[in-house]
Amino acid sequence: MTMGQTVCFANNKGGVGKTTTAKCIAEAWARMGKKVLCVDLDSQANLTTMLSPIEPGEREVSIRDAFINPDLFTIEHVAENIDLVPSDLSLSNFDRDTASIAGREYLLLDLLKNVKDNYDFIVIDCPPALGLITYNAMIAADHLVMVTTADALSYSGLVMVANLFADVKSNERLNKGLKLTGVVVTRYEKNKLSELYLNKIKEELGQAFISPVIRKATKMQQAASIKQSIYDLDPSGKATADYIDVAQNLALRILQ
Ligand SMILES: Nc1ncnc2c1ncn2[C@@H]1O[C@H](COP(=O)(O)OP(=O)(O)OP(=O)(O)O)[C@@H](O)[C@H]1O
Ligand SMILES: [Mg+2]
């Protein structure tokens, strides 16, 4: 039996589709019959808002509390085959709150250790920053998936993630086993500039690039605001079909 595989979705750049990608891939895997744990590591709590009927500020405990006191670690069941570790705004003080904890880069790894094998996949949504929280995610993960749009700023965010990845991987005490398993290009609209950046991404990160690109679709935004899965809201949509293919291809790579 394979053990639960932990996958983190990251880019230093904001608004590139990290959360949407984490959610759509998690939902696709759940529909394939896999058990998935979604971990929201962003104080904006977008993934929590999209997946759970409980609003971020309404919980007694969130992942921030579990980082301070592991006894408070709480998992919510949100949909068939999908559980959630929710976040809220209190996570924005993570650096200050954990300043006195020794080995604070291992907090997430420690929290997930005991539940990892209850799931086929653990999906981690990172904030748009490469600070201590994303560091925790990369140390806890088996697989890194970079998420990007095909443009200059998002691409330079990728370069920064690649540097952090190299840093984590090169250090025995951090996470030598971390693999760059995927690069997902989102919100794709074909034009000269996006083609240029798509080619650049394929050249630089060729092995990791996962096809197909996720095409731009207006229903994506709607699905997020009404807490619906795109597989229900827009089953014949372009981006829906793209995410199904990417989820399948990513699963194949992870499980090979
Ligand atoms: N394929 C798509 N087509 C159209 N809109 C999309 C697509 N994917 C994502 N979006 C929209 O783009 C916006 C940003 O997406 P998302 O929140 O997933 O990005 P993010 O990288 O997680 O942002 P942040 O850095 O703030 O966490 C959202 O409004 C989302 O609905
Ligand atoms: Mg996000």
Side-chain angles (χ1 to χ4, degrees):
M1 204 183 102
T2 45
M3 297 188 302
Q5 297 289 309
T6 305
V7 191
C8 77
F9 293 84
N11 192 332
N12 187 39
K13 177 83 174 68
V16 296
K18 293 179 292 295
T19 304
T20 303
T21 299
K23 176 178 185 270
C24 292
I25 289 178
E27 286 171 340
W29 285 341
R31 295 166 80 93
M32 287 159 56
K34 305 291 183 187
K35 285 209 69 172
V36 186
L37 177 65
C38 291
V39 180
D40 191 350
L41 278 194
D42 188 353
S43 61
Q44 298 179 95
N46 293 337
L47 186 62
T48 301
T49 305
M50 287 184 216
L51 283 176
S52 172
I54 309 170
E55 292 308 316
E58 290 172 358
R59 288 178 185 78
E60 298 204 343
V61 293
S62 75
I63 191 161
R64 179 265 173 201
D65 305 292
F67 282 136
I68 309 300
N69 175 4
D71 292 341
L72 297 176
F73 187 52
T74 314
I75 291 175
E76 252 173 61
H77 179 64
V78 290
E80 193 178 351
N81 288 335
I82 305 182
D83 289 352
L84 169 73
V85 179
S87 174
D88 62 24
L89 203 56
S90 66
L91 189 62
S92 56
N93 292 324
F94 183 76
D95 282 44
R96 210 177 60 206
D97 288 344
T98 58
S100 64
I101 301 177
R104 60 189 181 140
E105 55 274 44
Y106 303 101
L107 290 171
L108 182 65
L109 179 73
D110 288 343
L111 282 181
L112 295 180
K113 242 175 213 158
N114 296 324
V115 300
K116 199 171 166 172
D117 291 335
N118 299 341
Y119 298 93
D120 296 298
F121 296 108
I122 294 147
V123 166
I124 304 174
D125 183 32
C126 291
L130 297 179
L132 190 56
I133 290 180
T134 299
Y135 213 44
N136 260 271
M138 286 200 197
I139 288 170
D142 304 299
H143 304 274
L144 167 65
V145 175
M146 296 179 179
V147 181
T148 186
T149 46
D151 61 69
L153 294 179
S154 183
Y155 178 78
S156 65
L158 276 198
V159 175
M160 292 191 241
V161 183
N163 290 338
L164 184 64
F165 168 72
D167 184 32
V168 168
K169 209 177 153 61
S170 66
N171 189 330
E172 196 82 52
R173 296 174 61 199
L174 297 176
N175 189 0
K176 253 186 134 47
L178 182 65
K179 297 182 197 71
L180 174 57
T181 306
V183 175
V184 178
V185 175
T186 63
R187 279 166 52 189
Y188 192 76
E189 255 185 327
K190 195 174 154 137
N191 58 49
K192 281 233 156 64
L193 201 62
S194 66
E195 279 189 318
L196 179 84
Y197 277 96
L198 180 58
N199 285 331
K200 223 170 148 72
I201 290 161
K202 285 180 179 169
E203 272 166 32
E204 300 282 325
L205 301 154
Q207 296 264 309
F209 173 78
I210 300 190
S211 74
V213 296
I214 310 294
R215 285 165 290 177
K216 197 170 180 173
T218 38
K219 286 252 170 89
M220 296 301 296
Q221 265 147 319
Q222 203 185 332
S225 61
I226 58 175
K227 297 178 191 278
Q228 241 192 337
S229 148
I230 52 159
Y231 306 106
D232 295 324
L233 182 74
D234 193 20
S236 57
K238 290 178 293 187
T240 311
D242 298 336
Y243 269 121
I244 290 173
D245 290 346
V246 165
Q248 270 166 352
N249 290 335
L250 181 58
L252 284 175
R253 271 192 205 180
I254 289 172
L255 300 174
Q256 83 182 3

